[in-house]
Amino acid sequence: MSGQAERLERYAELAVRVGANVRPGQQVGVFAQLAHAPLVREIARVAYRQSATYVDYVYEDAHVKRALIELGPEESLSWTPPWLVTRVRDLNAKRSAVISIAGDPEPELFSDLDGERVGRTRMIELSRALSRQFNEMLANWTIVAYPNEGWARSAFGEPDVERLWEAVAFATRLDEPDPVAAWRGHLEGLAERARVLQEHEFDAIRFHGPGTDLTVGLLPISIWRAARFTTSWGVEHVPNMPTEEVFTTPDSRRTEGFVRSTRPLAVGGSLVRDLELRFEGGKAVEVNASAGADIIRGQLETDEWARYLGEIALVDGSSRVGQTGITFMNTLFDENATCHIAYGDGITFSAEGAGELSEEERRKIGVNSSAVHTDFMIGGPEVDVDGLRGGTETPIIRDDAWQLK
Amino acid sequence: MSGQAERLERYAELAVRVGANVRPGQQVGVFAQLAHAPLVREIARVAYRQSATYVDYVYEDAHVKRALIELGPEESLSWTPPWLVTRVRDLNAKRSAVISIAGDPEPELFSDLDGERVGRTRMIELSRALSRQFNEMLANWTIVAYPNEGWARSAFGEPDVERLWEAVAFATRLDEPDPVAAWRGHLEGLAERARVLQEHEFDAIRFHGPGTDLTVGLLPISIWRAARFTTSWGVEHVPNMPTEEVFTTPDSRRTEGFVRSTRPLAVGGSLVRDLELRFEGGKAVEVNASAGADIIRGQLETDEWARYLGEIALVDGSSRVGQTGITFMNTLFDENATCHIAYGDGITFSAEGAGELSEEERRKIGVNSSAVHTDFMIGGPEVDVDGLRGGTETPIIRDDAWQLK
């Protein structure tokens, strides 16, 4: 076996055994793009060796989506073929494992199309089904990325796949002699951060730096969480590889101020640069960007809750992703390099008791619910992060270093 | 636009406008393999320009199927993920157009695996759903092939895609100044052959040549048909491109004798060579082949009706496919080069009144019903074809030339 084939097999093993933590007798659902086929195939082999009963996959072709955006009827932009929802429901009903593959081979494929149409293009029913899978913990799932030429070109300006593989291997601890043990230690460190944040019972988090002065309210029921999730029936899994964040769902009614994104954002087949948002009473009321503002505006039109935050996540400079110094042009990586927030859907299981409420009831108490959930990066060495409580400010991150004990 | 891009666009137009005959406001379902992506994308563009509402696609990855055959549990070999059936039913319920793409990039991918497991690997529920779509004429559909390196290598021993494209363009009349008009004339010629065959009211067809002396009984209700189909709601379409055959569903109880295949058969990721079958009382009771016999035996085990014939089709040397002189190692092409028969599922709409009967009732009167339908080639210059009726034999094909007036 070549070194590359062996690395791919070890990576698939990490995704199957640590990420999704596929159990014998489980079905495995894979979501991928065409360029991810080599990893999908290796995941299938590893999963069957782990006694999976069936590996079911769907390949997305962004060029067919491009044809839809360019030439299809308006009402089809947000439509979901019903079988895609059936598939998610069947996977949930069978308590399946799910592996999604990231690493867009053509992250600017839609950049010459009508940005608002691009922003409105979203399978809403599929998003809802996946949000339910996520929030009700109906599958042991993970997202891993597959290095490919197009992604490497987007990150480095040249198709240096080997360089990208090395960065991915470092960020995912695949370079460790015993990656499984390295992950165990790493996950415990993140869980400790979440525990300490929880003890402080902050009422809000403030980000302050160039172009940014943003206060995000927290709920009394907000739960800080980190990388290890557990399904409703008790299977632990690691939803993102890499993962460096501690996160919670904020009070969607209490975001105030302005924020400047600190990294470009690859979203909807386009790159958004220098994104700036202004919030009033929780709502994003102003959107600017040097590129791609119309994509964001299109997304914010998806439903009336898209303009409110659903997630706040803290990451400092100890992140392995951040240490690579690379802007990956890929949210799975870039959001794990630095602090980020997401507009749109909230994280139900990060708000105590929210899982028992209806969507409507959740929104009323400040736990957002939307068909959109877009993360963007707002942290870095120049951005101070503080926890607010009863008039005092407690430093959480300074000069990209974690302060909170 | 390059010559190759223009050819691909014209080919997609032929598939969309003549093959499936997509109507404005229709949804289009595409079935493809990963290697077919360039044609899928062009079909999507053409279909949206024809005012299709949505182009829905599924890509099959034969390498994931290989992992299943090699490493998966026995009971999963014939399982269908339910969403695949939902998808076919939804397409039917919406009166959609369907385009399937052939041209296997790796026709021998499974040749080193356990042949009987390969033969038993078949999504039975999906096969049933597609059989229903086909027999009840629930979609305007077509199959076209996409020339690719692997297929070219399999046909020519070298990846000469350009040579394959030229052969495909000739066989599908894409080389004509007005392919749409050329198809119209061709389809009328085939319809005339079917009409003449019907008038003769043959009771059986006999094939006689080296290694072959096979008599296939016909039903009084057998209807000879050719290339132009009509959906249950009246949309004409051409199910195969190319198509050169006139065919019917035989009396599945009255096949007698032995037959030697005249071309290799690419089936189930393997090549079957020199296939020989012996029939008694309709049933295939003996299977031999110089390669791949176990694949055929595995298929014949799918259900108890797989061993009976479901189709008989006549093609002579005027076939454009045959005129290329190429063995394409692809059933869509090779079955349109020469006479063929299929074991397994019968063609309900080729037996008058059979559409109103249950599966059980159809089988009782000799119209077969099975989860398998595999065509294989049995004609050529050395094989005489005669129509039998009341003790007289009427020549239909001699020296590869059509005789019947």
Side-chain angles (χ1 to χ4, degrees), chain B residues 128-393:
Chain B
R128 282 192 209 289
L130 290 172
S131 164
R132 189 169 163 255
Q133 181 182 75
F134 168 74
N135 277 310
E136 301 181 20
M137 303 179 154
L138 302 176
N140 40 315
W141 60 278
T142 195
I143 309 178
V144 294
Y146 178 66
N148 56 70
E149 277 195 14
W151 178 21
R153 194 177 294 112
S154 162
F156 305 134
E158 56 180 0
D160 190 344
V161 181
E162 190 53 35
R163 184 178 162 201
L164 185 55
W165 256 115
E166 279 164 21
V168 167
F170 174 72
T172 60
R173 295 168 164 75
L174 192 65
D175 64 341
E176 294 280 338
D178 183 350
V180 176
W183 268 91
R184 201 175 302 122
H186 174 56
L187 294 171
E188 278 159 18
L190 290 173
E192 174 62 14
R193 280 195 180 173
R195 200 184 57 71
V196 171
L197 270 165
Q198 197 70 38
E199 279 180 1
H200 278 271
E201 294 184 347
F202 292 126
D203 174 60
I205 303 293
R206 182 181 176 210
F207 299 89
H208 190 260
T212 292
D213 189 355
L214 188 75
T215 301
V216 181
L218 298 179
L219 296 162
I221 56 168
S222 290
I223 307 167
W224 288 97
R225 306 189 62 119
R228 192 140 45 182
F229 287 14
T230 306
T231 65
S232 60
W233 68 96
V235 175
E236 288 197 340
H237 56 107
V238 180
N240 288 356
M241 302 190 97
T243 183
E244 301 280 349
E245 59 179 326
V246 287
F247 62 89
T248 190
T249 202
D251 184 341
S252 62
R253 305 160 300 185
R254 293 200 294 123
T255 312
E256 299 290 344
F258 49 91
V259 64
R260 180 182 295 168
S261 183
T262 51
R263 300 204 171 206
L265 175 68
V267 63
S270 307
L271 287 184
V272 178
R273 294 182 187 275
D274 307 313
L275 176 64
E276 294 183 331
L277 292 176
R278 194 164 62 76
F279 289 86
E280 278 179 19
K283 187 176 180 178
V285 292
E286 205 180 311
V287 179
N288 286 297
S290 64
D294 47 356
I295 311 286
I296 303 297
R297 292 192 189 112
Q299 281 200 348
L300 294 177
E301 292 301 314
T302 306
D303 54 40
E304 58 180 299
W305 307 283
R307 291 177 177 272
Y308 296 83
L309 293 190
E311 180 184 342
I312 172 173
L314 306 181
V315 182
D316 75 330
S318 70
S319 156
R320 277 206 176 198
V321 184
Q323 281 172 33
T324 65
I326 297 167
T327 298
F328 286 87
M329 301 291 183
N330 174 289
T331 297
L332 175 64
F333 279 73
D334 292 330
E335 74 164 13
N336 280 302
T338 191
C339 296
H340 56 275
I341 54 179
Y343 56 80
D345 210 31
I347 304 168
T348 312
F349 58 81
S350 265
E352 206 176 336
E356 281 112 68
L357 305 179
S358 70
E359 257 191 333
E360 204 53 48
E361 290 169 330
R362 285 206 300 272
R363 286 187 193 119
K364 200 168 281 178
I365 63 164
V367 177
N368 200 17
S369 183
S370 166
V372 173
H373 179 102
T374 298
D375 298 274
F376 61 101
M377 286 61 75
I378 65 168
E382 297 183 307
V383 181
D384 290 346
V385 184
D386 291 278
L388 312 186
R389 185 184 171 194
T392 67
E393 300 207 354

Side-chain angles (χ1 to χ4, degrees), chain A residues 41 53 56-57 59 61 76 83, chain B residues 53 56-57 59 61 76 83:
Chain A
R41 294 162 177 182
T53 53
D56 178 53
Y57 58 90
Y59 283 105
D61 185 341
S76 294
W83 62 267
Chain B
T53 53
D56 178 52
Y57 58 91
Y59 282 105
D61 185 340
S76 294
W83 60 268

